[in-house]
Amino acid sequence: ASAQPRALGIRVGVSGLEADYQHSFSKNQFLEGNFGLDFGYDANGAPGVKATALYNFVWARPAWTDKGKWALYAGPGATLGYVNDEVHFKAADGVNIVRYLDNGFMLGICGQVGLEYTFWFPLQLSIDFRQMLGYSLGAGRFYAPSSIGLGVRYSF
C-alpha cells in the first residue's frame, strides 16, 4: 500500500469490474476489499456479483523512480457471491455446447500477487494476479478461476 491509510477506486479485471477499497494497518500490511460485477467466462450472459476481502503483505519496495513509491505485495483472502459462468464451444458440426457451468452461489479462498505505484499526489495504480479456489453451490463442484486486474485508486 502507501503512506496513506486508505484508498478508494476501481479494479478492472478480465472477468469483471469492482469497487476497490484499501485500508493500511501499517507500512507493510493492508486490507483490500472488492465488490462488483463478475462476468465470468461468458460476457454475453447476465453478470454475477462477487465480494472479496484480502489481507496483503508488502514484501518489497523497489526504488525504481525518484518520485512516488513502488510496492510488491501478496496475500490470502476469501470471496463469496453469485456467479453466472458458462463457457460455450462450437462443435465440429456447428452446434453450440455448454461445457463449463458454475451458476449460483459460490464461496472460496483466494490469493493475490500485485505491483502498485503510488504517485507523489493522491493516486495509486496497480496490476495484480488473483487465483481463486471456489465451490459453486449451484453446480455442486469446485472450480478455480483466475483474474488479472488493473486498479486505479484515490488515496486519502
Side-chain angles (χ1 to χ4, degrees):
S2 70
Q4 303 298 325
R6 294 173 297 280
L8 181 64
I10 61 169
R11 179 182 182 268
V12 179
V14 294
S15 65
L17 175 67
E18 302 167 324
D20 188 8
Y21 175 75
Q22 286 184 355
H23 184 87
S24 297
F25 294 113
S26 71
K27 184 179 177 183
N28 293 322
Q29 298 177 24
F30 64 96
L31 180 68
E32 181 174 358
N34 307 116
F35 180 77
L37 297 176
D38 176 67
F39 295 106
Y41 298 99
D42 183 11
N44 297 321
V49 293
K50 195 183 308 183
T52 304
L54 298 133
Y55 195 87
N56 292 302
F57 300 90
V58 175
W59 49 274
R61 292 191 178 277
W64 292 332
T65 55
D66 292 336
K67 289 187 170 185
K69 295 179 183 176
W70 291 91
L72 293 162
Y73 60 90
T79 186
L80 62 94
Y82 181 87
V83 293
N84 191 20
D85 296 345
E86 298 177 6
V87 173
H88 297 265
F89 294 94
K90 292 264 187 209
D93 59 0
V95 175
N96 190 27
I97 300 172
V98 176
R99 292 271 195 188
Y100 191 78
L101 183 62
D102 289 317
N103 289 350
F105 289 98
M106 58 75 64
L107 54 102
I109 58 172
C110 56
Q112 175 173 274
V113 176
L115 172 66
E116 178 177 274
Y117 181 69
T118 302
F119 288 87
W120 54 98
F121 49 91
L123 178 67
Q124 291 178 345
L125 299 178
S126 66
I127 184 165
D128 62 61
F129 173 77
R130 190 177 293 170
Q131 180 67 52
M132 187 188 86
L133 174 61
Y135 186 76
S136 171
L137 301 174
R141 68 185 184 94
F142 286 96
Y143 69 113
S146 59
S147 174
I148 294 174
L150 297 172
V152 179
R153 291 178 291 278
Y154 168 74
S155 58
F156 55 98

